[in-house]
Amino acid sequence: MSEEILIAPGVYYYPEYFDRLLQETLRDEILSHANNLGWFQPTLPRWGTPFSVKMFNFGSLGWVSDKSGYRYQPTHPDSGTKWPPIPIHLLRLWSSLRKRFDRLERGFDKSATDTQDSISDNQNDTFDSPEACLINYYGSNAKMGLHQDRDEQDLSAPVISVSLGDSALFRIGTAERKGPTQSLKLHSGDVLMFGGSARLAFHGIDRIYPDTSSLLSEGGRINLTLRRVTKPAAKIF
DNA sequence: AAGTCACT
DNA sequence: AGAT
């Protein structure tokens, strides 16, 4: 496992989790699908004001927003096409860090169960695989105001996010809008995970630092967020 | 208000 | 630039 840094209760930072080769693999898979089916531009409920970021999704359910509201749906809002499957490297990331999070939350010592800490898949993982992978593309002037991820029925699983491309200034606070915040500079390949007491923490992107990465030829930043949406089915032995 | 702008 |  790469370095693990506790930012706040329930907020974990893994700098340089993905090496350059894996970043390139993820980039290629994301861009081929998103450019093929098309990015969509989310708009604010009621007002219809467009976001500055472009979006796309992988997985059985994708997050979308328009005048009707925020919601998860299995199809692209423009074409009605089903979202492509979540890339294998992201499923592995989820499997690994989701287990890690449970142990950290339950207060277990890592060494006690380390031999079980495999990133390999097995049938028991299906019940807890990520259903949604939202992809946000930030141009050099794009921002994302402070908000909560609260459109999921199941808030017990953490949110896991991956940064690709240009660096960004990320800010995260508490579950209260007026709570104190901390800023963190995220770089290409970094992973951030927040859940438990931080699952409803307000967070956002204050700015993108242009030309700080060569990963994306057109510049900008791609952020991937893996989430559980529906209540997981009961595990039966 | 997952926006945009303002102020310290 | 960075924090709010």
Side-chain angles (χ1 to χ4, degrees), chain A residues 214-227:
Chain A
S214 61
L215 187 70
L216 305 178
S217 59
E218 297 172 26
R221 170 178 185 261
I222 285 175
N223 180 67
L224 308 166
T225 48
L226 297 165
R227 304 188 185 91

Side-chain angles (χ1 to χ4, degrees), chain A residues 41-51 64-71 77:
Chain A
Q41 181 160 48
T43 60
L44 286 170
R46 180 178 173 83
W47 295 103
T49 309
F51 286 44
V64 300
S65 176
D66 55 27
K67 288 175 195 168
S68 302
Y70 303 145
R71 63 188 179 281

Side-chain angles (χ1 to χ4, degrees), chain A residues 1 4 99-100 102-104 107-118:
Chain A
M1 182 188 291
E4 177 178 78
K99 288 169 186 161
R100 174 70 184 150
D102 280 351
R103 285 176 195 147
L104 290 163
F108 277 56
D109 190 300
K110 180 175 183 295
S111 61
T113 50
D114 215 18
T115 55
Q116 298 290 325
D117 192 7
S118 164

Side-chain angles (χ1 to χ4, degrees), chain A residues 49-76:
Chain A
T49 309
F51 286 44
S52 57
V53 303
K54 302 295 185 186
M55 297 182 171
F56 192 76
N57 288 278
F58 283 136
S60 57
L61 290 171
W63 190 86
V64 300
S65 176
D66 55 27
K67 288 175 195 168
S68 302
Y70 303 145
R71 63 188 179 281
Y72 280 93
Q73 63 178 47
T75 57
H76 192 296

Side-chain angles (χ1 to χ4, degrees), chain A residues 100-141:
Chain A
R100 174 70 184 150
F101 189 82
D102 280 351
R103 285 176 195 147
L104 290 163
E105 286 290 289
R106 293 180 182 187
F108 277 56
D109 190 300
K110 180 175 183 295
S111 61
T113 50
D114 215 18
T115 55
Q116 298 290 325
D117 192 7
S118 164
I119 60 170
S120 68
D121 288 54
N122 60 57
Q123 295 197 319
N124 290 331
D125 281 342
T126 306
F127 88 105
D128 196 36
S129 57
E131 295 165 293
C133 176
L134 174 62
I135 303 162
N136 291 160
Y137 174 74
Y138 294 79
S140 59
N141 287 310

